[in-house]
Every structure is written in C-alpha cells, then in structure tokens.
Amino acid sequence: MSLIHLVILSPLLLAIFVPLLHKYFKSIHTGWFVLILPLVLFVYFLSYLGTSMSGNTYLSTMNWIPSMGINFSVYVDGLGLLFALLITGIGSLVVLYSIYYLSKEKEALNTFYVYLLMFMGAMLGVVLSDNLIVLYSFWELTSISSFLLISYWYHREKSRYGALKSMLITVFGGLAMLAGIILLYNMTGTFSVRETIANVDLVTGHELFVPALILFLLGAFTKSAQFPFHIWLPDAMEAPTPVSAYLHSATMVKAGIYLVARMSPVFAGAPEWFWLISVFGIITLFWGSFSAVKQTDLKSILAFSTISQLGLIMTLLGVGSAAVYYDYLSPNVYTVATLAAVFHLINHATFKGSLFMVVGIVDHETGTRDIRKLGGLMNLMPITFTLAIIGCFSMAGLPPFNGFLSKEMFFTGMLRATEIGVWNMDTLGWLFPVLAWVASIFTFIYSMVIVFKTFTGKLQPEKLDKKPHEAPMGMLIPPIVLASLVIIFGFFPNTLKGIIFPTLHSIFPGNFTVEEVDIYFWHGWTPELFMTIGVIGFGTFLYLTLAKWGKIYNWFPQRLTLNKLYDGGLVGLERGSFAFTKFYMTGYIRNYLVMIFGFMAILLAILLTRNGAFNFNLDNTTPVGVYEVVLSLIMVISAITILFTTSRLSAIIALGVVGYSMALFFVLFRAPDLALTQLIVETVSVALFLLCFYHLPDLSKEVSRLKFRLTNFIISVSVGLVVILIGLSVNSSRLFESISSYFEVASYEEAGGKNMVNVILVDFRGLDTLFEIAVLTIAAFGIFAMIKLRLADKKGEVNDEG
Amino acid sequence: MEIVIIIVAGILIATATYLMLSKSILRIVIGTGLLAHGAHILLLAMGGLKRGAAPLLGQQADAYADPLPQALILTAIVISFGVTSFFLVLAYRAYQELKTDDMDKLRGNENHE
C-alpha cells in the first residue's frame, strides 16, 4: 500500500470520523474540518503534473484478490490526473460553498459530509483505477452515494422519487458495464486496462467485441445522462445545490465521459463505436438544449443544459475516434475533435459549477428558483449577476470566455466529421454540423433566459418569500474562483496545454504523438466563426420572440414523454409481476400438486424416451403364482373402490384391505418381520382413521361422490404409467449382484444373530433405526402438542369448540 | 411375477395421485397412505422376488430372500406410519378449528402480504 492508495481511500477514512467531529465540535461548522482534505489532495495531485507533462505515468499496485487477478492498481496518467484535479478542486470549492449554504442548526451536517466524502473517494477510485473490477466497485459506490445525496431531504417525496430513479437507471447501466468487463476479461484474460490496451489485437474482431462495446456504452450513457437515459438528471435536482453543482454537473455525470475516453484505445476505430457515441451524443445535445428552453425552474434549465453539454462532449469523443481508423495519419484532422472534447470538459466543469452555485445563491436569498417569479435582481445582487453573466455567456459560446473557444473547436470537429470518407459518413455526415448549429442556437437562448429573466426586468417582491440581498462573501468565493478560471482559460487557453495533451496521449496511446497545437482566440475568417455569428444572430432573434414561438412546446403529446414511459414501465412491471404471481400462486393445494406431479411425469417421460432408457426383458423374473395374482386383484379392486365410494367408512375399510393385503404379500414373499409390522401398523392406522373421520359426532359420514376431472385423471394415469415404465426398465437390467450374500454370512458370525433383518436394523444399519425412533418420537410429541396446546384460547379469542 | 407387482404398484400410485388431487382432506390422507403402500411394494419388487427361505439363519436353507430391502421397507413403514398419524391428527384439528375438510376453503387469507 503506497501513499496514493491512502490518498484515494482518505475521503472514506475521514468519513468515519465526521460524525465524531460533528458531535464533539458543535460550535464549528463540520464543513471546515472536511474542507482541509480536498485542498490537500488537490495540491497533492498538482504535484503529479510535472510527471504527467513529461509524458510519464505512475503505477502502484496493492493486492486485493490476487488469485482472481483483482488488484487495487492505481494508474496516474493524463486522463486520470485531469479528473482527479477536477474532483478535488471543485470538491474543495463545493465544500466551502456548502459551509455557507447549509445551516449548522437546521441540517443534519454529519450525514451530508459523510455522503459527500464517500462520493469523493469513490470518484477518485473510478478515475485512478487500472483494474476494471475495482473501477466497477467504485463506480457503484458513486451511484450509491449519489442516491444518498439526492435523497438528503428524505422527507420530501420528490427527493425520494428522484433518488430512486437515478439509482435504478445508473445501477442498470453499472450492471451492464460489469457484464462488459466480464466479456472483456473473457477475450483478454486480464482485468487491467493497460494490459487490455496492450493486447488490443485479442479484442478487435472477436465475436464478443460488439456485445462488450454496447454493454460498456450502456454504462457510460446511463451515468452521463445520454438520451434516452437522461431522464434521471432533471429529477436529481431535488438534491441540495452544492450536490447538484458537484455531482450532477462537474464530476459524476462525467464518469461516463471518462469511461468512453478510457476505453477508446480498446474500442475506437470500429464503426459501431463511432456511430453509437456520435449519434447518441448529438441527439442528446440537441434534445437537451431544446428541452432546456421550456423549463421554468432554474435548476431544471441547468440540468437539461448539462445533459446537452455532455452530449456535446460525447459527440466530440465519437468523431475523434475516427482518428484511430485513419491510423493517426499526421496531421490528423480528427484528433482536434478529441482535443475539443477534453477542453470543453474542463470548461464545462468550471462554468457549470459556478452557474449552479449562482442559482443556489439566488434560491438561498430569494426563496425561489422559478424564473416566472424572479426578475430585477441586477441591482440587488451585483456580484451574483456578474458571475451569472460570465457563466452563461461562456455556456452560450460567446467571446472572450472559454466556452467560445471550445464551441469553435466543436464546430471545427463537426465540420471535419463531414469529411470522414467511411462508415456511410459521406451520405449522412451533413447532419452533424447542422444539428450542432441548431443545438447551439437553443443553448444561446436558454443561457440568455437564465441571465435576463432572473436579473433584469421588474422586481416582484410580492412573489418572493424573502427580501433579496447579496449573498455572504463565503458563498460567493467558490463561484468567483470558478468564474475567474472561466476568464483565465478564455484569455490564456494555452495554460491548459500541460493537462490537455497528456490526456490526449492517454486517449490515443501507442507510438502516436499528438501534435501540440496552440489554442488561439483568433483563427481567421473561418466557417466556424460565421457559424458562431449565425448562432448569436438567430439566437438573439429567437430569444426576443420566445413568447410567440414558445407555444410549440405544448404541441408535444404529454403521454409520450420518456418520463411517462419510465413511470408507466415501472407500474407495468409491478402489475405484470403481480398478475403473473397471482396466476400461478393460486393458493389451492390442488394446483400446486398438479404442477408438481405433471412436471415430474413429463420430465421423467422425456428422459425415458430421449435417452432410450426404457428396456424390457423377462430374464430376471420369477414365475407368476396364483396366490399373488389373486392378492394383486384384491388390492387393485379395493384401491379403485376408494375412488368410487361415497361413504367414509367404506373408504377407510378399503384402505385397510389394501394394507392387510400388503401384509399377506409380505407373508408370500418371505418377509415375516414386515408382515408383523404391517399388520400392527395397519390396524392402528385404521383405528386412527376411524377416530378422526368417522366417530367424530359433527362430521357427516357420507362424502360427496368424487367428481371426475379429466386433468386429474390424465395426470394420475401418466404418473402411474411413468412409475411402471421406470420400474420395468430397472427390473430388466440389473447391473450387479446384491450385497446381501454378505449378510447371510456375517449375521451370525459377526453379529451373533440369526434374524438377518433384525441384525441389519439394529447392528449393521443401526443408525437408520435410531433416527426412525426419533421420527416416531417427534410425531408423538407433535400430536400431543397439537391436541393439548390451544394458544388461541389463551389469547381470549372466540373458539366455539371450547 | 415382478412385472405384475410393478403394475400393481403403478396402479396404487395412480390411484393415490388421483385421490391427492381431490378437495377432501380425508381423501388426501388416504391417498398418502396408498402412495406409501405403492412405494413399499415397489421396493420389495425391485429387490427381486426370488424364491428362497425367509431371512432367518435357523432355516438352514440354500438360498434366502434378500434381507436388505426388507430392512429398508421396515424403516419406511414405521416412518410413514409416524407421518400419517401426525397428518391425521393435523387434519382432525384443522377440521375442529375451521369446520371444514374442503381444501378449496382452506386457502388462507386472500389479502395476506
């Protein structure tokens, strides 16, 4: 166990002590204790930057289950480090923000920080694990901690609904991913990502390649809220705002992006990978931005905006994967898409984190997030307003913020995608830039909605719960830090080169070297620039006329939305399984017996015919005797009498006849002990039958005639037939002689008894007899207890019998 | 001879099955009794019905009937007797408490979870 393992597990370790700190330092907000850890971790991960920039990686392994190849291997490369820095950096800011956002007196702070630290540790584990099983374990831990954080205010029904929804969807994807991991293991024999990449030849072209690819993408799409799995993210907005800012914008929803980037060296270059990621990404991009415009809740707008931006990053990764197909031909135009993806990933984390915090401040200071109630906060909250402008303009892709740069690069990537000459892109490629451009217009519109509907216009104090005023400084510092990063990355994007290019090396490993290009603000009069100008022009026009065309959102049938589908699906599943269980769990013992007997008869019959097990010969049989035949007839006749009699007495007597015939059979077949026992047992049994069913005064002595039922008849006849067939087959083929010759010799010589049956019972196989005695004892005690014990009476319940 | 016995056992088991599928609790108990008889006689037949002396060494015979199936059947008879008597008293008590011997009415509560 090296230091880095301790670093990954440190949030989990601290989580153990949080409740103690909360209990014993009541006067200090628990968040202050927590804040130290992500700050330290951030600085620690910064120290890896030098290693990463010089193209080196760091690997450290700790054994977990070595016999199964499952080891806690930590692998720090560009991609892992980028995410680790995001997690710890934004984590620190979110903890700071939460200190001011969550009240010390009103909220259960201990649980909040336990969950948050759990999430932080899990997320670090996801991005730094080299072993896929360990990655999966941490992956599920993020789902669980996210579930706990969404339902933080568990007394609200909506919180519980949102938490359950996100849990079901992300765990579904997580399990699919686990299946993908196992398929990959089948192909390569290792769980290590690095070794899988090294042995990528084993994977490519394997028949399990496409299933594994789809299963991995299911995991990535559900976690990263891609269409049609995006529906959990808007409902996850019931979480406290620091959680939304941290999990549902900057870190957890990017775990899917991370997975796609991490597995790119394994799967990229295949048309399935390219098409699935690009198409689902661009649909998500478009649908998210289109749906965001109609929202009236600020957090919902941001949720759909997050969905849309995640789709954007996903599309870029998909288009970038074409670079592998072209074998990294230099200068490769498709790597620019991946570069844009990584750059936008960083940008999105900065501006979306700050926007969530801004919305949280507005909510905190006014008591509402509904844009129909808000307005005119510009003069009251100038700092918040500035932060919102920076965040939203960056999100809309306006200069001079970092969003502008990544949006330009996004357009570049999409335009280049039309030039891909394979996989039918020559016919369908034009869709990419068109959809991207339209989606950008919607992005522009909702960004403007956030800024102008909230902060300009008329103040409506009568609709607000509180008198709005500027937030405390502590709450403003985290968004200020993020917003300044937005501006710094906007003006000096090349400061990020040190982290972006090692990341690209992780996504495109091998001998390939990504050309280190500078990211420029001004790149000449390119088509991308005209597209941006078009976005601004159309966007402004559509924003100003929003009231007129906004009605088209009402055209969509409410019944066909994905949420309705999800809810209906859950209800349908529940009803379906209930109906199915009702169908076969009828409660009638006859139905269960029909199933058991029928199943037994059918199964044995199939076995007999399929394996040709039936055979019949008369070699081993003894000659038929007259006495036995007569006795057999008596037995069969009395058994059948039971079926047809209507009197209880005749039925009992007929059963007795069968029993006494059995005793006679035992006499004929030279079994004196059996005959004795059978006689006595049958006598006692008949007496008991009579006692219970005949001599009871209030029971009618006649029973109705047994009704003929065809199913019962078929089943009992087939059970009897199967028994006969098996009996005949067994009788026809004796495999070896009986061991009884031993008893003939040993009974007297070794056990000193001449009655072989009794010697076997008490000497050779005495243990059977011991437990047979136990059975009788238990039966006797059971009968005694049943008759004597009347708990219902003692409880004073009504009992007519007395 | 074994063939006859096997067929008798099959008929006994078929009858027992038919009785166990009926509604009346008495018929079900009788069915289990018949089933036990069928099983015992099948055991005996499977052990082989070769003529020979009873398995008592004092008989000084050349061949004896196989003692092992007999010992097994003896154990089975006693156990099935214990179970049948328990079952009978259970049916009796059920009748006493619930006033019915119709299995369709002994279904338990429809609304239990």
Side-chain angles (χ1 to χ4, degrees):
Chain A
M1 183 158 178
S2 63
L3 182 63
I4 189 111
H5 292 106
L6 202 67
V7 161
I8 290 176
L9 296 176
S10 61
L12 304 175
L13 292 174
L14 180 61
I16 297 171
F17 295 103
V18 161
L20 291 177
L21 292 170
H22 179 71
K23 195 174 171 190
Y24 291 110
F25 299 93
K26 280 229 178 289
S27 52
I28 309 168
H29 194 290
T30 318
W32 291 112
F33 299 111
V34 177
L35 179 60
I36 304 160
L37 183 75
L39 277 177
V40 171
L41 294 187
F42 184 68
V43 173
Y44 173 81
F45 282 117
L46 277 180
S47 72
Y48 276 92
L49 261 181
T51 324
S52 170
M53 273 183 340
S54 54
N56 294 319
T57 55
Y58 176 80
L59 177 74
S60 171
T61 303
M62 186 177 90
N63 280 356
W64 184 19
I65 316 173
S67 58
M68 299 180 74
I70 299 171
N71 295 309
F72 189 3
S73 317
V74 177
Y75 182 60
V76 188
D77 63 345
L79 183 63
L81 188 62
L82 164 66
F83 273 88
L85 286 172
L86 279 181
I87 292 159
T88 48
I90 296 184
S92 319
L93 296 173
V94 161
V95 171
L96 179 63
Y97 179 78
S98 70
I99 292 172
Y100 290 92
Y101 186 83
L102 293 173
S103 146
K104 194 169 67 189
E105 288 80 24
K106 288 179 203 156
E107 308 286 1
L109 288 177
N110 48 349
T111 54
F112 179 81
Y113 286 110
V114 167
Y115 300 158
L116 199 71
L117 284 169
M118 219 164 97
F119 170 78
M120 195 183 286
M123 203 61 210
L124 282 176
V126 166
V127 299
L128 294 175
S129 292
D130 177 54
N131 194 291
L132 283 170
I133 293 290
V134 177
L135 189 150
Y136 170 74
S137 313
F138 282 119
W139 181 279
E140 292 299 32
L141 194 57
T142 63
S143 294
I144 293 166
S145 46
S146 160
F147 169 79
L148 291 169
L149 282 167
I150 295 169
S151 58
Y152 177 62
W153 289 311
Y154 54 84
H155 49 272
R156 295 187 190 167
E157 208 216 324
K158 275 186 151 182
S159 299
R160 298 197 302 270
Y161 172 80
L164 186 65
K165 194 174 188 178
S166 76
M167 183 79 166
L168 284 176
I169 293 178
T170 54
V171 167
F172 159 73
L175 284 175
M177 189 179 90
L178 179 63
I181 291 170
I182 292 166
L183 289 189
L184 214 53
Y185 180 77
N186 273 343
M187 289 185 262
T188 60
T190 176
F191 285 125
S192 159
V193 179
R194 280 173 313 110
E195 285 168 30
T196 308
I197 293 170
N199 296 319
V200 75
D201 300 343
L202 294 174
V203 182
T204 325
H206 196 283
E207 57 180 352
L208 294 176
F209 177 78
V210 175
L213 184 156
I214 290 170
L215 288 167
F216 265 100
L217 283 185
L218 266 178
F221 284 0
T222 50
K223 200 74 163 182
S224 281
Q226 298 294 296
F227 187 88
F229 305 111
H230 65 273
I231 50 172
W232 67 268
L233 191 61
D235 285 305
M237 290 302 130
E238 293 302 321
T241 303
V243 173
S244 312
Y246 189 35
L247 274 69
H248 306 126
S249 73
T251 52
M252 190 181 85
V253 288
K254 294 208 171 81
I257 305 273
Y258 168 80
L259 188 73
V260 168
R262 180 55 92 202
M263 300 313 287
S264 273
V266 180
F267 294 115
E272 294 89 356
W273 183 259
F274 170 84
W275 274 111
L276 283 171
I277 298 180
S278 316
V279 168
F280 277 95
I282 202 118
I283 293 173
T284 314
L285 164 66
F286 173 76
W287 188 249
S289 62
F290 180 69
S291 307
V293 177
K294 73 172 168 185
Q295 306 300 321
T296 53
D297 178 81
L298 282 173
K299 269 175 107 176
S300 294
I301 301 179
L302 288 180
F304 278 104
S305 140
T306 304
I307 291 167
S308 144
Q309 307 274 324
L310 290 170
L312 185 155
I313 299 171
M314 211 54 116
T315 317
L316 284 171
L317 284 176
V319 171
S321 76
V324 181
Y325 179 84
Y326 289 106
D327 226 8
Y328 310 129
L329 287 173
S330 188
N332 193 305
V333 288
Y334 306 111
T335 50
V336 78
T338 316
L339 173 69
V342 176
F343 188 43
H344 193 70
L345 180 94
I346 303 169
N347 293 343
H348 178 251
T350 54
F351 67 70
K352 193 52 67 69
S354 79
L355 278 178
F356 266 106
M357 292 175 182
V358 163
V359 167
I361 290 170
V362 170
D363 186 16
H364 205 262
E365 304 308 330
T366 62
T368 182
R369 299 193 306 252
D370 194 329
I371 50 170
R372 288 167 300 191
K373 293 183 187 167
L374 291 167
L377 295 173
M378 191 164 64
N379 299 323
L380 294 166
M381 305 166 80
I383 304 175
T384 318
F385 174 55
T386 316
L387 294 171
I389 284 190
I390 295 171
C392 285
F393 282 16
S394 176
M395 184 157 73
L398 300 180
F401 306 107
N402 59 5
F404 170 71
L405 296 171
S406 46
K407 184 134 295 186
E408 293 280 278
M409 286 159 75
F410 168 57
F411 285 149
T412 313
M414 290 300 111
L415 289 171
R416 296 269 170 85
T418 56
E419 295 161 20
I420 297 177
V422 287
W423 308 325
N424 298 327
M425 275 303 280
D426 33 1
T427 49
L428 293 168
W430 59 272
L431 271 172
F432 282 87
V434 170
L435 276 174
W437 188 70
V438 176
S440 298
I441 293 176
F442 282 108
T443 306
F444 181 87
I445 298 170
Y446 70 70
S447 302
M448 296 307 117
V449 166
I450 295 177
V451 176
F452 293 111
K453 293 257 162 115
T454 313
F455 291 98
T456 61
K458 234 178 75 195
L459 187 65
Q460 300 160 299
E462 71 282 356
K463 287 187 182 169
L464 302 178
D465 299 343
K466 300 176 185 170
K467 198 171 150 38
H469 57 82
E470 191 55 273
M473 208 51 212
M475 217 170 186
L476 287 170
I477 288 172
I480 287 174
V481 172
L482 286 173
S484 17
L485 285 178
V486 169
I487 297 174
I488 291 171
F489 294 160
F491 279 109
F492 310 105
N494 291 319
T495 48
L496 287 172
K497 268 168 81 174
I499 183 79
I500 290 178
F501 285 100
T503 308
L504 286 182
H505 280 291
S506 310
I507 301 174
F508 300 122
N511 303 322
F512 165 63
T513 43
V514 182
E515 273 179 276
E516 299 224 354
V517 287
D518 287 330
I519 305 165
Y520 292 115
F521 232 135
W522 176 252
H523 36 80
W525 292 99
T526 52
E528 296 89 327
L529 189 65
F530 289 112
M531 279 169 86
T532 304
I533 293 169
V535 166
I536 297 171
F538 268 95
T540 316
F541 171 72
L542 285 175
Y543 172 70
L544 293 175
T545 54
L546 183 59
K548 282 181 189 148
W549 61 270
K551 292 187 188 72
I552 62 155
Y553 285 108
N554 301 332
W555 294 354
F556 288 94
Q558 283 299 306
R559 286 162 159 272
L560 289 176
T561 57
L562 284 166
N563 277 317
K564 284 273 186 302
L565 211 67
Y566 164 85
D567 292 335
L570 273 192
V571 173
L573 268 179
E574 213 166 274
R575 279 198 196 143
S577 53
F578 183 71
F580 181 63
T581 311
K582 279 287 255 190
F583 164 70
Y584 73 92
M585 297 296 286
T586 52
Y588 293 108
I589 195 156
R590 180 184 163 264
N591 296 15
Y592 305 140
L593 286 175
V594 164
M595 283 176 223
I596 292 168
F597 281 127
F599 190 72
M600 184 193 96
I602 290 167
L603 196 71
L604 291 175
I606 287 174
L607 270 177
L608 272 178
T609 49
R610 270 222 162 169
N611 299 349
F614 180 72
N615 64 15
F616 179 66
N617 65 56
L618 296 166
D619 299 346
N620 287 314
T621 49
T622 43
V624 179
V626 181
Y627 296 126
E628 289 94 330
V629 172
V630 173
L631 258 182
S632 300
L633 279 176
I634 293 175
M635 225 168 168
V636 169
I637 289 167
S638 51
I640 289 168
T641 313
I642 301 174
L643 291 179
F644 291 100
T645 181
T646 52
S647 142
R648 285 172 194 275
L649 189 61
S650 342
I652 293 166
I653 300 282
L655 182 65
V657 170
V658 176
Y660 289 122
S661 320
M662 283 288 291
L664 283 179
F665 261 126
F666 291 144
V667 170
L668 283 177
F669 292 133
R670 308 283 189 278
D673 300 289
L674 288 186
L676 263 174
T677 317
Q678 179 66 36
L679 273 176
I680 296 166
V681 160
E682 200 55 38
T683 314
V684 177
S685 297
V686 169
L688 260 173
F689 268 102
L690 290 176
L691 185 73
C692 291
F693 284 97
Y694 193 75
H695 289 297
L696 293 174
D698 52 347
L699 191 64
S700 102
K701 288 182 178 156
E702 305 297 309
V703 286
S704 56
R705 175 179 287 279
L706 188 53
K707 281 195 204 97
F708 179 77
R709 292 179 85 157
L710 191 64
T711 45
N712 291 3
F713 180 73
I714 291 170
I715 283 170
S716 45
V717 165
S718 43
V719 166
L721 267 179
V722 162
V723 167
I724 290 171
L725 289 178
I726 291 174
L728 290 178
S729 312
V730 172
N731 194 46
S732 305
S733 51
R734 285 184 196 275
L735 298 175
F736 41 78
E737 277 306 303
S738 159
I739 58 165
S740 299
S741 51
Y742 168 77
F743 296 119
E744 287 173 24
V745 179
S747 280
Y748 189 69
E749 285 176 8
E750 290 188 12
K754 290 185 176 172
N755 184 334
M756 281 189 261
V757 174
N758 288 3
V759 168
I760 290 173
L761 281 175
V762 298
D763 198 313
F764 293 119
R765 299 181 57 90
L767 217 56
D768 292 356
T769 315
L770 177 67
F771 290 107
E772 162 197 340
I773 293 167
V775 168
L776 270 191
T777 317
I778 292 167
F781 277 125
I783 290 168
F784 181 77
M786 259 195 302
I787 292 179
K788 283 289 172 192
L789 203 63
R790 304 283 165 100
L791 288 177
D793 289 346
K794 285 185 187 156
K795 280 184 200 158
E797 284 176 21
V798 183
N799 189 345
D800 301 333
E801 276 298 294
Chain B
M1 193 66 238
E2 280 89 345
I3 314 285
V4 177
I5 297 296
I6 287 167
I7 291 168
V8 169
I11 292 171
L12 284 185
I13 287 170
T15 321
T17 310
Y18 195 82
L19 283 170
M20 285 167 82
L21 293 177
S22 75
K23 275 199 266 184
S24 152
I25 207 164
L26 171 72
R27 287 202 172 104
I28 292 174
V29 183
I30 289 179
T32 56
L34 269 184
L35 196 68
H37 288 320
H40 297 159
I41 204 169
L42 202 61
L43 264 176
L44 194 69
M46 292 291 103
L49 297 173
K50 289 207 172 54
R51 296 279 182 176
L56 302 169
L57 286 175
Q59 304 235 333
Q60 305 288 340
D62 295 334
Y64 294 101
D66 196 338
L68 195 59
Q70 297 192 10
L72 296 181
I73 295 167
L74 197 65
T75 312
I77 289 175
V78 174
I79 289 174
S80 67
F81 168 68
V83 174
T84 308
S85 47
F86 182 85
F87 198 5
L88 267 174
V89 176
L90 183 68
Y92 163 64
R93 286 286 296 130
Y95 180 79
Q96 253 190 345
E97 295 288 328
L98 303 166
K99 303 280 172 242
T100 180
D101 69 335
D102 186 345
M103 285 311 290
D104 283 2
K105 290 181 188 155
L106 294 171
R107 267 190 69 199
N109 192 348
E110 181 77 16
N111 302 318
H112 66 84
E113 284 297 307

